[in-house]
């Protein structure tokens, strides 16, 4: 594991001991009780938007002084290595709360060895996508892999459809509207009805909400399920390759390709790419904050963080590093985008409690076919009115 190796190198150079605890995707749910007990970890690793959403901005240390710290082994500061375009995702109310080391995007992945036609002619509209999925079903496939036990992964489908249909702000503005009326707007109707058709179409594996991550994405990689595509973050090739290696399969069996989410409704968000940084944050009550900052300045070094691309096959936050070939298609999608929008339209930072109390429970019901698209919109509106009434 790359970070484990770098932690060892860091200790050897600085004498600072690192005790790493690997907690997976739900790491922040384990940090919360430690925050409440006054014994938080010194360093937490996660998507930048998750820190204020799940821990709260007041529980995060300000890293402004880190930005002025020289990078270990280089003649530039940490701040000078970070693109200004990322700062909106790292700073809220003047507080820099996250040091980014990689940039994650969201796109639809496929294996060029299995579905080469997607590289040559990807679906341009949502109707094109549904037609293609029907062809795959007719050929005996269950086309879409989805780990439905993670609500955010289910939400990626609706998030992408909404941003295509309505553009930047379509989710956050609705969440912040105390009347709930935005959920009846054309982009919301177009996007939810499109995803409702997807849910009803039988394109996801049976029981996808009841399996435990990473069952479905691992099965997509090794083809133990006959799935053809997966809407996922750009960490997928790295995670899937690791799963293949652990099971004794060849990671080279997957030739990674991806295509941008197709047009929905009026396609207001045609030029959008969804992207956000992943990095480290320090809890405000951490006992070894200076040591944690020393680690960040060490890891920011071009050679070390460059291994995020060369070894871990992810995109790096630094723009002066050659990126991973596994993410070449998304790299072009990102480079050609007219607008970069954070995951879930940034609502996790703007209205984190709304995400937890309103959005995620109804996403689970929607994808579980407990409610249809119209009921989903109606309940979103009603619950959003209640949410604002309780503020």
């Amino acid at each position: 594991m790359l970070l484990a190796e770098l932690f060892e190198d860091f200790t050897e150079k600085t004498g600072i001991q690192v005790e790493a605890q690997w907690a997976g995707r739900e790491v922040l749910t384990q940090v919360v009780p430690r925050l409440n007990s006054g014994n938080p970890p010194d360093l937490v690793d996660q998507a930048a938007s998750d820190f204020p959403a799940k821990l709260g901005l007041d529980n995060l240390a300000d890293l402004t002084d880190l930005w002025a710290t020289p990078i270990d082994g280089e003649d530039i500061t940490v701040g000078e290595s970070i693109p200004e375009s990322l700062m909106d995702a790292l700073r809220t109310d003047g507080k820099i709360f996250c040091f980014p080391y990689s940039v994650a995007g969201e796109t639809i992945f496929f294996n060029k060895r299995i579905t080469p036609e997607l590289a040559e002619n990807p679906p341009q509209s949502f109707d094109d996508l549904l037609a293609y999925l029907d062809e795959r079903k007719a050929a005996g496939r269950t086309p879409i892999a989805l780990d439905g036990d993670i609500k955010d992964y289910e939400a990626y489908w609706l998030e992408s459809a909404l941003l295509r249909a309505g553009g930047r702000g379509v989710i956050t503005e609705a969440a912040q509207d105390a009347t709930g009326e935005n959920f009846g707007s054309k982009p919301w109707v177009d996007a939810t009805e499109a995803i409702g058709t997807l849910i009803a179409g039988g394109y996801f594996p049976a029981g996808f909400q009841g399996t435990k991550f990473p069952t479905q994405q691992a099965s997509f990689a090794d083809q133990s399920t006959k799935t053809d595509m997966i809407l996922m973050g750009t960490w997928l090739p790295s995670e899937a390759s690791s799963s293949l290696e652990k099971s004794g399969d060849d990671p080279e069996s997957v030739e990674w390709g991806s295509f941008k989410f197709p047009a929905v409704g009026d396609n207001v968000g045609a030029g959008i790419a969804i992207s956000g940084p992943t990095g480290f944050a320090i809890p405000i009550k951490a006992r070894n904050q200076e040591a944690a900052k020393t680690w960040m300045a060490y890891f920011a070094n071009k050679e070390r963080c460059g291994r995020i691309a060369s070894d871990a096959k992810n995109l790096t936050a630094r723009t002066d590093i050659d990126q991973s070939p596994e993410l070449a298609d998304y790299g072009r999608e990102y480079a050609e985008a007219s607008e970069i929008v954070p995951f879930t339209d940034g609502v996790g930072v703007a209205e984190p409690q709304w995400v937890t109390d309103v959005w995620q429970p109804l996403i689970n019901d929607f994808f579980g076919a407990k409610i249809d698209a119209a009921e989903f919109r109606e309940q979103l509106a009603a619950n959003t009115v209640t949410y604002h009434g309780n503020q």
Side-chain angles (χ1 to χ4, degrees):
M1 184 180 292
L2 173 58
L3 284 178
E5 181 180 334
L6 289 172
F7 283 145
E8 289 182 6
D9 294 343
F10 173 71
T11 297
E12 183 177 341
K13 180 169 184 176
T14 66
I16 298 172
Q17 297 292 323
V18 179
E19 181 183 344
Q21 297 178 348
W22 311 106
R25 287 264 173 257
E26 300 302 314
V27 60
L28 296 186
T29 62
Q30 300 184 33
V31 173
V32 171
R34 292 185 60 180
L35 277 171
N36 294 335
S37 67
N39 183 36
D42 297 315
L43 195 69
V44 185
D45 168 280
Q46 191 64 282
S49 60
D50 284 346
F51 289 124
K54 297 180 180 179
L55 298 185
L57 189 63
D58 291 344
N59 286 319
L60 301 170
D62 191 344
L63 303 180
T64 299
D65 59 339
L66 173 67
W67 256 234
T69 302
I71 293 175
D72 181 76
E74 294 192 55
D75 294 327
I76 61 172
T77 65
V78 171
E80 289 171 336
S81 75
I82 297 169
E84 183 60 32
S85 61
L86 290 182
M87 292 308 299
D88 284 346
L90 309 173
R91 180 173 52 206
T92 299
D93 296 335
K95 175 189 281 190
I96 300 174
F97 58 84
C98 176
F99 160 72
Y101 60 81
S102 73
V103 174
E106 182 181 308
T107 193
I108 301 177
F109 284 97
F110 62 94
N111 186 344
K112 293 180 181 179
R113 300 186 192 282
I114 295 174
T115 52
E117 65 275 10
L118 289 175
E120 300 163 4
N121 186 30
Q124 298 300 306
S125 71
F126 203 81
D127 285 343
D128 291 342
L129 176 64
L130 292 175
Y132 179 78
L133 296 175
D134 285 335
E135 290 176 6
R136 300 306 289 170
K137 274 185 65 180
R141 308 285 289 183
T142 304
I144 303 174
L146 175 61
D147 279 290
D149 60 319
I150 299 182
K151 298 180 184 67
D152 286 345
Y153 287 179
E154 293 180 321
Y156 284 175
W157 281 96
L158 182 55
E159 165 197 3
S160 296
L162 282 164
L163 286 169
R164 283 285 174 265
R168 177 189 284 273
V170 67
I171 302 174
T172 297
E173 289 171 9
Q176 294 181 323
D177 176 15
T179 71
E181 293 178 358
N182 277 18
F183 298 107
S185 66
K186 188 174 187 299
W188 275 88
V189 172
D190 289 342
T192 55
E193 292 295 336
I195 299 304
T197 301
L198 192 75
I199 293 167
Y203 305 119
F204 301 118
F208 71 95
Q209 284 190 321
T211 55
K212 185 174 177 56
F213 172 84
T215 298
Q216 299 298 340
Q217 74 172 34
S219 299
F220 160 80
D222 67 18
Q223 284 295 293
S224 55
T225 55
K226 296 179 180 180
T227 49
D228 299 309
M229 64 181 68
I230 179 169
L231 175 58
M232 184 53 63
T234 49
W235 52 83
L236 175 65
S238 175
E239 289 187 346
S241 294
S242 178
S243 294
L244 288 168
E245 288 177 350
K246 288 178 181 177
S247 62
D249 293 316
D250 183 7
E252 296 298 321
S253 63
V254 182
E255 183 181 354
W256 292 99
S258 70
F259 62 92
K260 69 184 294 183
F261 201 91
V264 176
D266 293 335
N267 202 26
V268 173
I272 283 175
I274 300 172
S275 182
T278 292
F280 294 104
I282 301 174
I284 194 71
K285 295 182 180 179
R287 298 173 181 176
N288 299 292
Q289 294 191 29
E290 291 308 312
K293 291 176 184 177
T294 300
W295 154 255
M296 294 181 195
Y298 175 85
F299 188 35
N301 175 277
K302 182 178 180 179
E303 180 179 347
R304 298 180 192 113
C305 72
R307 295 180 62 186
I308 294 295
S310 62
D311 296 16
K313 310 302 183 185
N314 290 325
L315 295 170
T316 67
R318 290 184 64 155
T319 58
D320 55 351
I321 292 171
D322 291 335
Q323 303 294 355
S324 162
E326 287 83 352
L327 299 176
D329 288 347
Y330 178 76
R332 285 190 291 273
E333 180 181 338
Y334 182 91
E336 294 169 3
S338 60
E339 189 172 17
I340 304 299
V341 176
F343 283 78
T344 320
D345 195 31
V347 74
V349 175
E351 294 292 341
Q353 199 64 41
W354 179 86
V355 172
T356 302
D357 294 351
V358 178
W359 179 249
Q360 289 185 338
L362 289 175
I363 284 288
N364 196 58
D365 288 347
F366 187 30
F367 277 79
K370 296 178 181 178
I371 54 177
D372 62 20
E375 292 169 323
F376 177 65
R377 295 192 301 273
E378 290 167 4
Q379 292 186 33
L380 272 175
N383 292 0
T384 299
V385 169
T386 300
Y387 163 81
H388 285 287
N390 290 335
Q391 298 301 299

